[in-house]
Amino acid sequence: MLSMTENILLVWALLLYVAVIAGKVAYRFGAPALLLFLGVGMVFGLHFIKFESFEFTQFIGMIALCIILFSGGMDTKFSEIRPILGPGIVLATLGVVITAVVTGLFIYFFSSWIGLAMSLPVSLLLASTMASTDSASVFSILRTKKQGLKENLRPLLELESGSNDPMAYMLTILLVSVATSAVGEVNLGQSALKFVVQMVVGALMGYGIGRLAVFSINRIDIKNNVSLYPVLLLASVFFSFSFTTLLWGNGYLAVYITGLVVGNYKIAHRGNLTTFMDGFTWLAQIVMFITIGLLVNSDELMHPEVLILGGAVALFLMFVARPLAVFIGLLPFRRFSRRARLFVSWVGLRGAVPIIFATYPIVAGVENGRLIFNVVFMVTLISLLLQGTTVSGVANLLGLAYEEKESRFKMGIPDSIKSNFTEIEVTSSTLEGGSTLRDIVLPDNTLVVMIFRRGEYFVPRGNTSLEVGDKLLVVSDRDETELREVYDALGIKDVLRLQ
């Protein structure tokens, strides 16, 4: 007979296995994998598992969000987000506030019209839980699609989704306090000061702990067991969140900035650390979405008030509140075209974060707390179904998409190596001076170390004949500018930097 612990392990093993298969199916049919993870949890929760712990879901969500936000920051290059830092910050702060206020007012009047009569604080609370775009959904969809976006839209969307959760979290906590307090007990001035302190402390602690993590990984010599470096990095993630929270800072903002710092400074064993964090992030996302799916009561989702209010709020968010927030937020930034603003408006995906935030009213005993949770879940489902499945199509329709080049040479290059690693594609212009490798004039200290041709890899020699379309892996100690000039002279346009 299996013990209770063994039963739990067996169930979770099956859940993870089914979720991975579902993710594969989702990729093949162009659906968001996270939507199917959620579906797996709902199916098991409906037929096999009884799970009703909102507190445990909050804990799982907190752990998963730390991992997701850190990984998103670590994968974001500061050189990419520097040009869009201003609009990204505006969307992550002012955009969230506009979305919450406009949607809250809509909920207040619409709920009265359909006979629910939700109070203004509760209406604003419901809107605040859904005011941020979900980093897990945005990161997953944009990176799985392997689709390039013009006008720096991809780093803008990733920066916004990775940094707007703290604002929504602060609004949610503030409005939970308002909704559970007597009239006049909440001091808005103190609340505003607390918000500023949390954001400033979160930003400073995130940067400081990020630098400490980089220093620790580079200086602590555990080369006899390199598997411990990911453990050290993981400890830095949770230390950043918990210690910042202890100092009255915003832990989610700190975690994201810690990831940005680690991702943009030179660290030892970057390849191993990146692989570990990618896998662990997917595990965190799967566990979080399955847990949320298990928590949902399918019968409650079918209640008329949930269907009507959830559907109305979802459509209002997609077609009114989100576009209004984007167009107002990006008003000072003239470089974005109207098409780009429309696309940013459409990629306002809701996901696990709003659902996690929606557990706070229930735990705090807020009036209509269960209704808030179910409406948020319904809005998330609609968002993932309508917006999540059409991100790629809308980008193509607006003429903002292009085919993103993917390297044929998957390499984990240590930051300690100073050489430039590039992948180039041979063209007919390249072969005008001769068809062998020795006929191509490259600078000193520059070598072609591998060739990819028709699905096969091989190490070349000087007399190796080249063909149009060959992919060459080039290693050079020359600077990037000099290499670019050489490639231009050879008629090589497709250049991928691998480091």
Side-chain angles (χ1 to χ4, degrees):
M1 294 290 292
L2 292 176
S3 67
M4 178 65 70
T5 303
E6 290 166 336
N7 278 327
I8 292 173
L9 289 176
L10 176 61
V11 168
W12 271 103
L14 290 173
L15 283 171
L16 291 175
Y17 182 79
V18 173
V20 171
I21 299 301
K24 178 68 175 178
V25 173
Y27 178 78
R28 177 169 296 179
F29 290 99
L34 302 181
L35 178 62
L36 291 193
F37 298 156
L38 199 62
V40 169
M42 291 179 65
V43 169
F44 274 78
L46 180 64
H47 297 289
F48 306 107
I49 301 171
K50 186 176 179 60
F51 178 75
E52 296 180 346
S53 177
F54 289 92
E55 292 84 355
F56 184 71
T57 303
Q58 275 187 17
F59 176 74
I60 292 294
M62 179 187 69
I63 298 296
L65 283 177
C66 286
I67 299 299
I68 293 165
L69 289 172
F70 178 86
S71 181
M74 188 175 174
D75 289 342
T76 302
K77 297 305 177 187
F78 195 74
S79 58
E80 295 178 354
I81 67 170
R82 186 184 291 112
I84 47 83
L85 199 57
I89 292 175
V90 170
L91 289 178
T93 51
L94 178 63
V96 171
V97 174
I98 293 173
T99 302
V101 172
V102 172
T103 307
L105 292 174
F106 170 78
I107 293 170
Y108 175 68
F109 290 108
F110 185 80
S111 63
S112 298
W113 184 63
I114 63 175
L116 287 176
M118 299 175 71
S119 66
L120 183 59
V122 172
S123 299
L124 290 171
L125 172 59
L126 171 55
S128 296
T129 62
M130 301 178 289
S132 65
T133 56
D134 186 61
S135 55
S137 301
V138 173
F139 288 158
S140 172
I141 290 173
L142 291 181
R143 293 177 184 186
T144 301
K145 295 291 184 183
K146 301 293 184 185
Q147 184 181 49
L149 296 173
K150 300 175 183 178
E151 300 190 38
N152 271 342
L153 290 183
R154 178 165 162 175
L156 173 64
L157 290 166
E158 292 189 347
L159 174 63
E160 180 204 5
S161 66
S163 58
N164 63 7
D165 292 334
M167 176 63 79
Y169 173 77
M170 287 295 300
L171 290 175
T172 300
I173 297 301
L174 172 62
L175 287 162
V176 164
S177 177
V178 172
T180 54
S181 301
V183 177
E185 285 188 6
V186 177
N187 188 312
L188 293 180
Q190 288 182 353
S191 299
L193 178 62
K194 181 180 178 182
F195 167 77
V196 173
V197 170
Q198 286 217 356
M199 299 299 278
V200 171
V201 173
L204 293 176
M205 291 302 300
Y207 178 79
I209 295 174
R211 292 300 303 270
L212 178 63
V214 171
F215 177 83
S216 301
I217 292 171
N218 290 336
R219 291 300 183 92
I220 295 179
D221 187 7
I222 47 178
K223 294 178 181 176
N224 57 324
N225 193 350
V226 295
S227 300
L228 291 177
Y229 283 104
V231 178
L232 184 61
L233 184 64
L234 202 58
S236 300
V237 175
F238 296 126
F239 179 75
S240 177
F241 177 83
S242 57
F243 191 63
T244 302
T245 304
L246 186 66
L247 296 181
W248 301 98
N250 191 292
Y252 294 118
L253 178 62
V255 164
Y256 180 72
I257 293 178
T258 299
L260 271 176
V261 173
V262 171
N264 286 276
Y265 278 83
K266 293 185 179 298
I267 56 172
H269 307 286
R270 177 178 297 277
N272 291 336
L273 293 176
T274 301
T275 301
F276 170 81
M277 285 306 303
D278 285 346
F280 203 73
T281 300
W282 272 108
L283 176 62
Q285 291 178 164
I286 291 172
V287 171
M288 179 171 64
F289 273 78
I290 287 177
T291 303
I292 291 171
L294 291 173
L295 187 64
V296 172
N297 187 316
S298 302
D299 292 334
E300 291 182 2
L301 287 180
M302 295 297 106
H303 287 178
E305 63 268 23
V306 174
L307 292 173
I308 295 172
L309 186 57
V313 171
L315 294 176
F316 185 84
L317 272 170
M318 282 187 277
F319 296 107
V320 181
R322 170 67 178 178
L324 186 65
V326 169
F327 275 81
I328 292 177
L330 295 182
L331 198 59
F333 307 100
R334 302 293 184 182
R335 65 179 176 272
F336 293 105
S337 66
R338 184 178 296 274
R339 293 177 304 157
R341 296 165 199 258
L342 286 172
F343 182 74
V344 173
S345 299
W346 186 247
V347 191
L349 287 110
R350 270 63 198 176
V353 172
I355 300 174
I356 296 296
F357 288 169
T359 63
Y360 286 85
I362 295 179
V363 174
V366 174
E367 162 195 14
N368 291 321
R370 190 81 194 196
L371 176 62
I372 289 174
F373 179 84
N374 289 322
V375 168
V376 171
F377 191 89
M378 180 62 65
V379 170
T380 298
L381 280 181
I382 295 172
S383 176
L384 288 175
L385 281 169
L386 292 184
Q387 294 172 296
T389 57
T390 57
V391 168
S392 180
V394 170
N396 287 319
L397 182 65
L398 294 173
L400 295 169
Y402 64 88
E403 184 180 356
E404 192 173 56
K405 299 294 183 181
E406 188 173 5
S407 174
R408 295 292 183 178
F409 302 97
K410 301 292 186 181
M411 302 177 63
I413 303 169
D415 285 349
S416 56
I417 296 180
K418 307 300 182 183
S419 302
N420 285 312
F421 288 76
T422 53
E423 176 186 319
I424 61 176
E425 181 174 342
V426 175
T427 66
S428 56
S429 300
T430 311
L431 304 180
E432 287 179 354
S435 62
T436 64
L437 185 56
R438 67 164 60 95
D439 295 322
I440 297 179
V441 181
L442 294 173
D444 293 337
N445 301 325
T446 301
L447 296 173
V448 176
V449 296
M450 190 169 290
I451 296 178
F452 174 83
R453 178 187 297 163
R454 292 190 289 274
E456 295 184 355
Y457 297 87
F458 59 92
V459 177
R461 297 182 178 180
N463 61 355
T464 299
S465 294
L466 300 177
E467 299 179 8
V468 174
D470 283 353
K471 307 282 188 179
L472 311 184
L473 175 60
V474 182
V475 182
S476 178
D477 288 337
R478 298 294 180 175
D479 62 63
E480 194 171 345
T481 303
E482 185 178 352
L483 280 176
R484 181 73 262 181
E485 292 174 353
V486 172
Y487 294 152
D488 287 341
L490 291 171
I492 296 172
K493 302 302 181 184
D494 291 329
V495 180
L496 285 178
R497 193 169 185 269
L498 305 183
Q499 189 180 31

